[in-house]
Amino acid sequence: MAVVDKVEGETGEEAGLRQPLETAVVRFAGDSGDGVQLTGSLFTLSTALAHHDLATFPDFPAEIRAPAGTTYGVSAFQIHFGGREIRTIGDRPDVLVALNPAALKVNLGDLRPGTVVILDVGSFTERNLRKAGFTEDPREDGSLDPFRVVALDISGLTRRAVADTGLTSREQLRCKNFFALGLVFWMFDRELGPVIEWTRQKFGRKPALCEANIAALKAGHALGETAELPQLPAFQVPPASIAPGLYRAVTGSEALAFGLLDGARKAGLQLTFCSYPITPASPLLHVLARLRGYGVTTFQAEDEIAAVCAAIGASYAGALGVTSSSGPGISLKSEAIGLAVMTELPLVIVNTQRAGPSTGMPTKTEQSDLLQALYGRNGDAPIVVLAAASPADCFTMAREAVRIAVGHMTPVMLLSDGFLANAAEPWKIPDLDTLPAFPVRFRTDPEGFAPYARDERLVRPWVRPGTPGLQHRIGGLEKQHETGEVSYDPENHQRMTDLRWNKVLAVAEDIPEQTLEQGDPGDRVCVVGWGSTYGPISRAVTTRRRRGEKVAHLHLRHLWPLPRNLGRLLSGFEKILVPEMNKGQLVHLLRSQYLVPAMGLSKVSGRPFAVAELEQALDRLSEERP
Amino acid sequence: MAVVDKVEGETGEEAGLRQPLETAVVRFAGDSGDGVQLTGSLFTLSTALAHHDLATFPDFPAEIRAPAGTTYGVSAFQIHFGGREIRTIGDRPDVLVALNPAALKVNLGDLRPGTVVILDVGSFTERNLRKAGFTEDPREDGSLDPFRVVALDISGLTRRAVADTGLTSREQLRCKNFFALGLVFWMFDRELGPVIEWTRQKFGRKPALCEANIAALKAGHALGETAELPQLPAFQVPPASIAPGLYRAVTGSEALAFGLLDGARKAGLQLTFCSYPITPASPLLHVLARLRGYGVTTFQAEDEIAAVCAAIGASYAGALGVTSSSGPGISLKSEAIGLAVMTELPLVIVNTQRAGPSTGMPTKTEQSDLLQALYGRNGDAPIVVLAAASPADCFTMAREAVRIAVGHMTPVMLLSDGFLANAAEPWKIPDLDTLPAFPVRFRTDPEGFAPYARDERLVRPWVRPGTPGLQHRIGGLEKQHETGEVSYDPENHQRMTDLRWNKVLAVAEDIPEQTLEQGDPGDRVCVVGWGSTYGPISRAVTTRRRRGEKVAHLHLRHLWPLPRNLGRLLSGFEKILVPEMNKGQLVHLLRSQYLVPAMGLSKVSGRPFAVAELEQALDRLSEERP
Amino acid sequence: MNAPARALKPKDYASDQEVRWCAGCGDYAVLKAVERVLAEIGADPAGTVFVSGIGCAARFPYYVATYGFHGIHGRAPAIATGVKLANPELDVWVIGGDGDMLSIGATHLAHTLRRNPDLTLLLFNNEVYGLTKGQLSPTAPPGSRTPTSPLGSVESPLSACRFALAAGARFVARGIDTQKDLTGILRAAHDHPGTGFVEILQNCIVYNDGAFAAITERATAAEHQIHPVHGEPLLFGAARDKGLRLAADGSGLEVIEIGADGAGLEEVIRFDRTNLALATMLASLEPPLPVAIGVLYDNPAPVSYERALRAQEEAERARIGEADLGAMLRQGPVWMVTA
Amino acid sequence: MNAPARALKPKDYASDQEVRWCAGCGDYAVLKAVERVLAEIGADPAGTVFVSGIGCAARFPYYVATYGFHGIHGRAPAIATGVKLANPELDVWVIGGDGDMLSIGATHLAHTLRRNPDLTLLLFNNEVYGLTKGQLSPTAPPGSRTPTSPLGSVESPLSACRFALAAGARFVARGIDTQKDLTGILRAAHDHPGTGFVEILQNCIVYNDGAFAAITERATAAEHQIHPVHGEPLLFGAARDKGLRLAADGSGLEVIEIGADGAGLEEVIRFDRTNLALATMLASLEPPLPVAIGVLYDNPAPVSYERALRAQEEAERARIGEADLGAMLRQGPVWMVTA
Ligand SMILES: Cc1ncc(C[n+]2csc(CCOP(=O)(O)OP(=O)(O)O)c2C)c(N)n1
Ligand SMILES: Cc1ncc(C[n+]2csc(CCOP(=O)(O)OP(=O)(O)O)c2C)c(N)n1
Ligand code: SF4
Ligand code: SF4
Ligand SMILES: [Mg+2]
Ligand SMILES: [Mg+2]
């Protein structure tokens, strides 16, 4: 995040030169009705076409449509892009576009000296200032002095630019996001062509609105080009060296959906996806509901319990049963997940974690369901637990969840979170045909069949009802070894408990050994992460390593069972730091498993770690050096 | 369990002398319809009146009324009693009364050479032998040779004894348990008077049946007295030195009910007990439902979720809300417990653990819900976790759960288990008036009121709706510090998460420091237990200490937060052994908390530890001595 | 729980919290109606509790200056039952949406209704999941296209009022968010001693705008609604020239035109609010038949659930007499050990 | 799922598991009836699945020689729905008790009925919790004394059939465990294309013996039961001398005596199994009125839930044409990065 340093004090296009920047963070913010999310998407498209690497994150308000002008009605979209690999959405914006006072208000705390702040002062009416909670006009009380404020009447300029398009005054105003976008396009030297084309495709059915938006876009761009605004910098961001191929943007929700679909196909199964709406898990259901022509049946159940039970029923019947939820909904599924453990059926449970406890902050992100994933059921009921590290990684880990569930006849919980679900990144579209397949072989041979007989990996056979001669009964009561009949025999219960335990542990033989993302086993410090902390940890470790510090980054995607070499690997480090968006859950597991003095770094604010926070923690560790 | 050694080879009343025994274990077993549980209760009463210490355990079949004669229809009752403190129900019986072949079959594995086996050979028909799964008559194939078999036609003898009572032949046969009881009474030199009196009280309304039972009882006793049965020993068990006072027998379920009632009274609250039937938690609901005149409202809800929600509602309204369940039902409550965490209301959740996972073995005992108690909720949602160590301790810990819940405005989960719930022991009836009170002081003063303001222990005020001027709203969304309003503020969420965490940790200041049940901090080995393993651990450690081994016993009743001195205490031992009826849950917690190399000893068979199993584990530890 | 010193106005029941529903949401109108009822009945804010589940509707308690409990999804009736068990004196209102009460919470709704504690239970039916952004609701008509049913729903909807009646409700009414007499309906529900259940047709302007337009459209409302009045014949239409009679085959109610001279009026059935079968037929009316709005059933049980429980407990206490817990412990087999 | 080679007999559908219900339990009779139906319809054991919840009744799947899934308490309809979603070809039966389906599982029952997948759903109503030893059930009559209501229940019971009808069931029947024609009723439920719901009055000899004696007592059964026949007048009584007619005030059905000459017969209403309102009135009959036994409602939807979903999916596949997942990923904004 050394970006701002470089631009401080410079003005735009002095002597016709654009200011070089390695990476930049732009945040668009405005009222829910201001079209901020669309603006963000278009800027993302343009950024991708400019061959930058990038990461984006939308920040929706918790309320559906909060009253206009309020702080809790602010919608934002952040993009981090540049000429190197982008791993986070950026700690703080270099450029903030604030389309109303409330948008300025809620973002003020995130700005640093020198941040470029583009304000639509056309919206800075007294009423709006009051609604936003300003007692004084921030433009006048000096609170904006540290920033490079570009104060423009974007509302007015937009109205003028689209005056001839036949729109009502209210409709005209709704083009102001395109005006702002045009201006930012100029700042980053972007082509307008592709975005204009895309806009025509998207809004083609409303030609007046479409052309007005384009006019506003062009006007914004022209303003940058022609008006000499001393505070308005012009940047030059180099293209990143990106592996060649065809790309698209994916959110974690999309990637997860695609991964489940591909996983089911590679297993040779129909996907039966059973869920109940809940923030931020719903988008996964929405994406899949639109893809019902691609081999998925989606089922919106009456509640989360019915959803998981239907998924179990589907798996029992020989499809791939998947269920998905978040927070309270995952809690409700606890009992039924135990049933899947006992019946030893494949089941994928996607947990898009959100800030808790209880209803908590549904639209905010957190990683605080790890221990629940591991232990949140009655009895000793082990399941496999996985976590995706980035939006695109959701594709890979969804496939992995399917592979393990069907290969080991076990429930697998895949942990995502609110950040991953909504964040987007460029994704090199894989050639699905070349990805490994893991076809299921249903048991069909009655000869010697026993429903709870096991193979060498302790896996029992999967039988599709309808198969002649293999009729049998399963259920949640303790099962007799091999026969699967109900049993209250003490020795058998011990044996079966051990078998269920060891069966899940045996998955460790079927997953890769743990490797380091960066660094070597001989380094002094190891930062151990899991899930969506990947980006910030990775960036922080890279920075420190550049400075010559012996810091490694280890990132867990398999959380239970843990990779078989993990204990060995960890024992080599002097210090182990475990940053988590919870009160210390993975660190708890690692300490117990390996008796290593791992230290937690906890952040529970509903927001991802900032790179700077991790660097500070590493600094504190270094200071501790004897 | 050195009992059998002493009696081996002796015959009853040789030279008119009774064989001295320090303690004895008697198991009655028969068909569900044979009245075994009643027999056990009467023997218990008589044992108590003989001033022995004792412990009992009924072992019901899983089926309601399984077909007569089947092994899964066998009902049993075990009692361990003697002249010293009794801490377990006894590993193995010294005397087995088997009223049918199935009862012999299921108990054979538990017998040791020399065990006295009293058989009702009147029931040893070919049909019954087959039903019990015997291919040959065990009396003839030598399989009973190691035992001291007392083969009597109890059925026939009973019929004859009650021939004149006007009962039908079928009714006559139902007196055979009284005949067997009379015989065992003679073996242990018991008075018949009190039991006859009690029988008259109980069956007074059916005089014919009543008198027949008494006749059978007397006949059984007379048989011991008069028939010279060489295999039938007569024992003399000394009275125990028991603290003087008025005693009654209590099961864990009863003691827990009494503890909740007394706790609520001592808090000055009405008790609102909300539950849904489930084995083995139902008896607690049944006991309380009969005590509705004593300040408790019981509510059988439509499911476990409604039950916990109603309990939360009751606490909100200013009563003491308590809910109770087992296994699957506890899983279902996960979401709502999170709500109680967020709303910071007192709530007691009683978990009578059973063998899991899933439906598991509902009638069998286990301790496998500890980690779920600690972590089985979405988000970081800490609650207080307690565990009772014995049936009578359920009274104490129920009071403790209430004290902490109302004193700290927090959910408290009290762990019991299927063993504790059904097992009984003598209980010196406390003088309730002398037990400490902990009256709740509801907030009534509007001056400076804020629903989430905290006192020095981080506890928020409890307000009874109806109180003028204190209207406020609570719920599951994140709360603004102090005001309790809904808040999505990142810093506030961090602060509140920390506060909820620290509030529960602060309970450690309000509970006793951990002490050792036996042994000293300087001992080599510490056996750390929790819950119903108390008895067997205690006995095993006593035995070892008598042999001079440096083994200590530490028993946790407060599992979260852990006692503040626990880490220090544990660090003094060379070896820490943690026996649990699960796959290693407390040991997981201790390792993680204190980085101590505690070792687990896991038993998951639905049965309590035998003292011998613990002794063997201690032997293995000793062998490891370098 | 003394009555407040001075008479409160509807606006006195508004809390200090900013209302965060979408502009134009039907919930605003319901909030106003409830405030009016509270004022009418002179509700003591301190003695009143609003309990809700999760959803847009379920934000309701934040906006009322009484005690409030924003619960978890679907469970408000259970929480409210607990409140009443603990303190029967409180005046408890329960609020939830169609998803909250008829999907995840249908069990609790049904069992609360049959137990009949003294609650006022309002189900805001907008035929959509508002808070989670427009998914399919169990009350949505077949064919509904939503993010979770982009190809159109193939499910039959639940009828809230029929469901409530079948569950054993003793008071069932249907209202409309912007309806003038909503206050009267709510008041009747509140005055009913036992659970007063009201389905409120509520417009979600963002995700399901106009869902009830066919019924509520001003111009034609009189033809598309029927407002039963106890003891009166079931007439409707701007000119009150149509009525309902029993179909001879037992298939429910059918429309007849009343002649200018009143011909046919004798066939029109009279509404009796204690008639369960009639209430069920009325609740079942759907367009093109007129939709029944107002109190459809009001047949109080002798005593509410929580009062019946209390009565049992008092009888028990009387039976026990002086005996306290300590004495109870000494009942049954006990024995004395002496030193 | 080929038909089995030789015709199977009822006993061929018995599994090898020992039946563990109490001697004299009504469940045995139902098991026999189901075995008879399976034989009658020539069910393929391999193509048949029994799914259940938890309870005595829910042990049922163990005793049938088909595929079986003994689920968790209350959730059998949801599990069964999943089975049908995955494989519509399977013949799926769902079994549960009154606690299982009407208490903890009422939500799933209601939603399954309104969605209408092709299931045969049997609710064994013994008005008590058998497996957990006799606690209060939601169908138990007021005043019931049980371990959880020792002072007598103060709740009103749910009526299984009324609940099912209100939830949108398209087939509702009531049978009696030991009734001769139970087989016929079960068969009709099975043949119904969609969810066939049957409440079976089942005697729990241990915890609630004789709960239905007033209805089932041989000697008086003809007076206390009415067996509706499609298209026939609703007559009952040993001499078929009593009938049901519509009460003029819309309050349901009332009994009339038929004169020896058939006088009054014209007033007796004819049973039409597709008449929902009539079914509701029949389902509501309680002693002293005759209790309706048999098929009360049978009005198939055009297509079952899972078939409707499949049809949508096939239409989608047709619309997409050749496009596969890989192609779909390439739709929308994509960009090429070249080396
Ligand atoms: C256990 C649980 N599941 C799901 C959710 C997500 N959720 C919140 S509100 C809601 C439904 C909202 O619809 P409705 O009840 O009709 O209320 P409305 O918003 O339409 O007023 C859902 C599914 C949740 N909060 N908790
Ligand atoms: C989640 C859960 N809650 C409670 C139980 C305990 N339980 C088992 S069966 C049952 C009710 C049995 O009654 P019913 O459904 O009427 O069946 P019946 O035994 O009478 O056939 C209950 C409460 C359970 N197994 N799981
Ligand atoms: S989403 Fe719909 S129901 Fe929710 S507040 Fe907005 S308009 Fe009202
Ligand atoms: S308890 Fe009742 S329902 Fe259960 S098996 Fe026994 S008789 Fe049947
Ligand atoms: Mg809704
Ligand atoms: Mg039952």
PDB file of all heavy atoms in Angstrom, chain D residues 123-136:
ATOM      1  N   LEU D 123     -49.674 -41.442   8.933  1.00  0.00           N
ATOM      2  CA  LEU D 123     -49.500 -40.901  10.276  1.00  0.00           C
ATOM      3  C   LEU D 123     -50.202 -41.831  11.260  1.00  0.00           C
ATOM      4  O   LEU D 123     -51.423 -41.959  11.234  1.00  0.00           O
ATOM      5  CB  LEU D 123     -50.087 -39.494  10.336  1.00  0.00           C
ATOM      6  CG  LEU D 123     -49.822 -38.683  11.605  1.00  0.00           C
ATOM      7  CD1 LEU D 123     -49.960 -37.198  11.299  1.00  0.00           C
ATOM      8  CD2 LEU D 123     -50.716 -39.062  12.754  1.00  0.00           C
ATOM      9  N   PHE D 124     -49.423 -42.493  12.091  1.00  0.00           N
ATOM     10  CA  PHE D 124     -49.973 -43.418  13.085  1.00  0.00           C
ATOM     11  C   PHE D 124     -50.356 -42.601  14.310  1.00  0.00           C
ATOM     12  O   PHE D 124     -49.491 -42.193  15.076  1.00  0.00           O
ATOM     13  CB  PHE D 124     -48.929 -44.459  13.499  1.00  0.00           C
ATOM     14  CG  PHE D 124     -48.552 -45.462  12.451  1.00  0.00           C
ATOM     15  CD1 PHE D 124     -48.371 -45.103  11.119  1.00  0.00           C
ATOM     16  CD2 PHE D 124     -48.336 -46.798  12.795  1.00  0.00           C
ATOM     17  CE1 PHE D 124     -47.992 -46.042  10.160  1.00  0.00           C
ATOM     18  CE2 PHE D 124     -47.963 -47.736  11.848  1.00  0.00           C
ATOM     19  CZ  PHE D 124     -47.789 -47.357  10.527  1.00  0.00           C
ATOM     20  N   ASN D 125     -51.636 -42.380  14.465  1.00  0.00           N
ATOM     21  CA  ASN D 125     -52.080 -41.539  15.565  1.00  0.00           C
ATOM     22  C   ASN D 125     -52.561 -42.394  16.734  1.00  0.00           C
ATOM     23  O   ASN D 125     -53.650 -42.938  16.697  1.00  0.00           O
ATOM     24  CB  ASN D 125     -53.200 -40.612  15.075  1.00  0.00           C
ATOM     25  CG  ASN D 125     -53.627 -39.649  16.165  1.00  0.00           C
ATOM     26  OD1 ASN D 125     -53.015 -39.586  17.228  1.00  0.00           O
ATOM     27  ND2 ASN D 125     -54.673 -38.885  15.892  1.00  0.00           N
ATOM     28  N   ASN D 126     -51.727 -42.490  17.754  1.00  0.00           N
ATOM     29  CA  ASN D 126     -52.143 -43.200  18.970  1.00  0.00           C
ATOM     30  C   ASN D 126     -52.407 -42.217  20.107  1.00  0.00           C
ATOM     31  O   ASN D 126     -52.575 -42.609  21.257  1.00  0.00           O
ATOM     32  CB  ASN D 126     -51.117 -44.266  19.372  1.00  0.00           C
ATOM     33  CG  ASN D 126     -49.725 -43.695  19.525  1.00  0.00           C
ATOM     34  OD1 ASN D 126     -49.557 -42.469  19.558  1.00  0.00           O
ATOM     35  ND2 ASN D 126     -48.723 -44.552  19.604  1.00  0.00           N
ATOM     36  N   GLU D 127     -52.377 -40.929  19.752  1.00  0.00           N
ATOM     37  CA  GLU D 127     -52.679 -39.866  20.724  1.00  0.00           C
ATOM     38  C   GLU D 127     -51.785 -39.917  21.950  1.00  0.00           C
ATOM     39  O   GLU D 127     -52.191 -39.511  23.039  1.00  0.00           O
ATOM     40  CB  GLU D 127     -54.171 -39.885  21.107  1.00  0.00           C
ATOM     41  CG  GLU D 127     -55.068 -39.630  19.903  1.00  0.00           C
ATOM     42  CD  GLU D 127     -56.536 -39.422  20.224  1.00  0.00           C
ATOM     43  OE1 GLU D 127     -56.938 -39.650  21.378  1.00  0.00           O
ATOM     44  OE2 GLU D 127     -57.285 -39.031  19.299  1.00  0.00           O
ATOM     45  N   VAL D 128     -50.575 -40.385  21.736  1.00  0.00           N
ATOM     46  CA  VAL D 128     -49.631 -40.439  22.855  1.00  0.00           C
ATOM     47  C   VAL D 128     -48.219 -40.583  22.287  1.00  0.00           C
ATOM     48  O   VAL D 128     -48.049 -40.953  21.126  1.00  0.00           O
ATOM     49  CB  VAL D 128     -49.957 -41.631  23.795  1.00  0.00           C
ATOM     50  CG1 VAL D 128     -49.471 -42.953  23.214  1.00  0.00           C
ATOM     51  CG2 VAL D 128     -49.366 -41.427  25.195  1.00  0.00           C
ATOM     52  N   TYR D 129     -47.236 -40.237  23.098  1.00  0.00           N
ATOM     53  CA  TYR D 129     -45.841 -40.501  22.749  1.00  0.00           C
ATOM     54  C   TYR D 129     -45.510 -41.899  23.250  1.00  0.00           C
ATOM     55  O   TYR D 129     -45.348 -42.106  24.445  1.00  0.00           O
ATOM     56  CB  TYR D 129     -44.917 -39.480  23.415  1.00  0.00           C
ATOM     57  CG  TYR D 129     -44.874 -38.149  22.709  1.00  0.00           C
ATOM     58  CD1 TYR D 129     -45.897 -37.752  21.862  1.00  0.00           C
ATOM     59  CD2 TYR D 129     -43.789 -37.286  22.854  1.00  0.00           C
ATOM     60  CE1 TYR D 129     -45.863 -36.539  21.190  1.00  0.00           C
ATOM     61  CE2 TYR D 129     -43.746 -36.071  22.195  1.00  0.00           C
ATOM     62  CZ  TYR D 129     -44.784 -35.703  21.369  1.00  0.00           C
ATOM     63  OH  TYR D 129     -44.739 -34.505  20.700  1.00  0.00           O
ATOM     64  N   GLY D 130     -45.455 -42.850  22.342  1.00  0.00           N
ATOM     65  CA  GLY D 130     -45.209 -44.221  22.760  1.00  0.00           C
ATOM     66  C   GLY D 130     -43.751 -44.450  23.144  1.00  0.00           C
ATOM     67  O   GLY D 130     -43.443 -44.797  24.285  1.00  0.00           O
ATOM     68  N   LEU D 131     -42.866 -44.199  22.213  1.00  0.00           N
ATOM     69  CA  LEU D 131     -41.470 -44.593  22.414  1.00  0.00           C
ATOM     70  C   LEU D 131     -40.846 -43.945  23.643  1.00  0.00           C
ATOM     71  O   LEU D 131     -40.014 -44.547  24.312  1.00  0.00           O
ATOM     72  CB  LEU D 131     -40.642 -44.244  21.169  1.00  0.00           C
ATOM     73  CG  LEU D 131     -39.228 -44.806  21.164  1.00  0.00           C
ATOM     74  CD1 LEU D 131     -39.246 -46.326  21.068  1.00  0.00           C
ATOM     75  CD2 LEU D 131     -38.405 -44.238  20.018  1.00  0.00           C
ATOM     76  N   THR D 132     -41.229 -42.719  23.947  1.00  0.00           N
ATOM     77  CA  THR D 132     -40.626 -42.049  25.098  1.00  0.00           C
ATOM     78  C   THR D 132     -41.436 -42.255  26.371  1.00  0.00           C
ATOM     79  O   THR D 132     -41.211 -41.580  27.362  1.00  0.00           O
ATOM     80  CB  THR D 132     -40.447 -40.543  24.813  1.00  0.00           C
ATOM     81  OG1 THR D 132     -41.668 -40.046  24.250  1.00  0.00           O
ATOM     82  CG2 THR D 132     -39.325 -40.311  23.818  1.00  0.00           C
ATOM     83  N   LYS D 133     -42.422 -43.141  26.306  1.00  0.00           N
ATOM     84  CA  LYS D 133     -43.122 -43.618  27.500  1.00  0.00           C
ATOM     85  C   LYS D 133     -44.277 -42.764  27.982  1.00  0.00           C
ATOM     86  O   LYS D 133     -44.386 -42.475  29.176  1.00  0.00           O
ATOM     87  CB  LYS D 133     -42.135 -43.869  28.647  1.00  0.00           C
ATOM     88  CG  LYS D 133     -40.970 -44.760  28.215  1.00  0.00           C
ATOM     89  CD  LYS D 133     -40.294 -45.417  29.390  1.00  0.00           C
ATOM     90  CE  LYS D 133     -39.394 -46.542  28.881  1.00  0.00           C
ATOM     91  NZ  LYS D 133     -38.704 -47.234  29.957  1.00  0.00           N
ATOM     92  N   GLY D 134     -45.122 -42.415  27.033  1.00  0.00           N
ATOM     93  CA  GLY D 134     -46.442 -41.992  27.467  1.00  0.00           C
ATOM     94  C   GLY D 134     -46.712 -40.523  27.677  1.00  0.00           C
ATOM     95  O   GLY D 134     -47.726 -40.169  28.273  1.00  0.00           O
ATOM     96  N   GLN D 135     -45.840 -39.633  27.158  1.00  0.00           N
ATOM     97  CA  GLN D 135     -46.107 -38.207  27.372  1.00  0.00           C
ATOM     98  C   GLN D 135     -47.266 -37.707  26.502  1.00  0.00           C
ATOM     99  O   GLN D 135     -47.726 -38.377  25.585  1.00  0.00           O
ATOM    100  CB  GLN D 135     -44.846 -37.392  27.065  1.00  0.00           C
ATOM    101  CG  GLN D 135     -43.676 -37.665  27.987  1.00  0.00           C
ATOM    102  CD  GLN D 135     -42.807 -38.795  27.522  1.00  0.00           C
ATOM    103  OE1 GLN D 135     -43.131 -39.480  26.548  1.00  0.00           O
ATOM    104  NE2 GLN D 135     -41.709 -39.029  28.203  1.00  0.00           N
ATOM    105  N   LEU D 136     -47.627 -36.480  26.775  1.00  0.00           N
ATOM    106  CA  LEU D 136     -48.747 -35.837  26.093  1.00  0.00           C
ATOM    107  C   LEU D 136     -48.454 -35.652  24.604  1.00  0.00           C
ATOM    108  O   LEU D 136     -47.383 -35.194  24.222  1.00  0.00           O
ATOM    109  CB  LEU D 136     -48.984 -34.462  26.726  1.00  0.00           C
ATOM    110  CG  LEU D 136     -50.227 -33.725  26.251  1.00  0.00           C
ATOM    111  CD1 LEU D 136     -51.480 -34.464  26.685  1.00  0.00           C
ATOM    112  CD2 LEU D 136     -50.232 -32.305  26.798  1.00  0.00           C
TER     113      LEU D 136
END
